[in-house]
Amino acid sequence: EAQVTQNPRYLITVTGKKLTVTCSQNMNHEYMSWYRQDPGLGLRQIYYSMNVEVTDKGDVPEGYKVSRKEKRNFPLILESPSPNQTSLYFCASSPTIAGSSYNEQFFGPGTRLTVL
Amino acid sequence: GESVGLHLPTLSVQEGDNSIINCAYSNSASDYFIWYKQESGKGPQFIIDIRSNMDKRQGQRVTVLLNKTVKHLSLQIAATQPGDSAVYFCAENNANAGNMLTFGGGTRLMVKP
């Protein structure tokens, strides 16, 4: 089944304890992205990647890191989480070809992160 | 399951009626627009898209209208069903900005049986 998977689905942690949320897609998509979703603010893009070893900042990259060492995986890393990073996180992928405007994105099921 | 949040504009319609969900976008350079549906506990799901050189596109029970003059997008759902209850987001894409999608705040559609 073609899908985007995220792990963990739920995570409660404390301020300053490094964590990684994994994202994997099995559709051979070039483009992957991370969003956070907060009440009243909709979905905001954190980082995106056009292809392996190519990553760029989105709207709200502060406090996050990503890596794209292989096509299928795009982990989101919080080196020192803070309470303002408590949110619902979505990973997405799309088959966008560089230069194309086509960008139907397929979303994972979400990760609920709480930072105490 | 995961939920979007409670402080959203809400549209309540009777089952069988038509629904119209509106969205204002911000960037006149956006070249592609998408409507997503998000059900409780799930990630956003693609519904329909439209390119900036079009003003109307129809799918199965859904129609998207684009008015570039006033930067307005709408989603029309015909014969709304209980399964249409969800939060709907519009998104704009700018190919000159790395194909980054910018999402609207969302509208909650509630269908009354």
Side-chain angles (χ1 to χ4, degrees), chain A residues 9-10 31 35 37 39 42-43 45 48 50 58-59 88 90 96 100-105 107-109 112, chain B residues 1-4 31-32 34 36 38 41-44 46 49 51 89 93 95 97-101 103-104:
Chain A
R9 294 290 312 279
Y10 302 90
Y31 184 100
Y35 295 87
Q37 188 173 44
L43 283 148
Q45 192 174 50
Y48 65 96
M50 298 288 284
D59 287 331
L88 179 57
F90 287 101
T96 302
S100 167
S101 64
Y102 178 70
N103 197 18
E104 176 188 340
Q105 294 194 23
F107 285 81
R112 171 70 69 184
Chain B
E2 301 308 323
S3 61
V4 172
D31 53 1
Y32 180 66
I34 311 168
Y36 282 90
Q38 187 175 21
K42 298 181 180 179
F46 173 91
D49 58 3
R51 297 190 186 277
F89 294 95
N93 179 81
N99 280 321
M100 192 169 78
L101 281 179
F103 284 81

Side-chain angles (χ1 to χ4, degrees), chain A residues 4 25 27-32 49-51 68 71 92-106, chain B residues 32 36 99:
Chain A
V4 179
Q25 50 92 7
M27 296 169 279
N28 201 36
H29 286 170
E30 294 175 348
Y31 184 100
M32 297 187 74
S49 169
M50 298 288 284
N51 214 324
R68 189 85 182 278
K71 202 171 189 178
S93 72
S94 76
T96 302
I97 298 170
S100 167
S101 64
Y102 178 70
N103 197 18
E104 176 188 340
Q105 294 194 23
F106 296 82
Chain B
Y32 180 66
Y36 282 90
N99 280 321

Side-chain angles (χ1 to χ4, degrees), chain A residues 3-112:
Chain A
Q3 61 183 347
V4 179
T5 57
Q6 297 177 224
N7 281 291
R9 294 290 312 279
Y10 302 90
L11 179 61
I12 301 174
T13 189
V14 295
T15 298
K17 186 176 181 182
K18 181 180 178 180
L19 66 92
T20 299
V21 184
T22 65
C23 173
S24 183
Q25 50 92 7
N26 61 1
M27 296 169 279
N28 201 36
H29 286 170
E30 294 175 348
Y31 184 100
M32 297 187 74
S33 181
W34 275 103
Y35 295 87
R36 61 177 289 174
Q37 188 173 44
D38 302 289
L41 296 175
L43 283 148
R44 294 179 294 166
Q45 192 174 50
I46 303 171
Y47 269 94
Y48 65 96
S49 169
M50 298 288 284
N51 214 324
V52 175
E53 301 293 1
V54 179
T55 63
D56 282 293
K57 296 178 180 179
D59 287 331
V60 288
E62 293 78 20
Y64 304 94
K65 287 173 58 177
V66 291
S67 70
R68 189 85 182 278
K69 293 184 170 56
E70 50 191 339
K71 202 171 189 178
R72 64 181 293 126
N73 296 322
F74 190 45
L76 179 70
I77 304 155
L78 284 72
E79 294 273 3
S80 183
S82 61
N84 65 12
Q85 292 178 298
T86 293
S87 187
L88 179 57
Y89 291 87
F90 287 101
C91 180
S93 72
S94 76
T96 302
I97 298 170
S100 167
S101 64
Y102 178 70
N103 197 18
E104 176 188 340
Q105 294 194 23
F106 296 82
F107 285 81
T111 295
R112 171 70 69 184

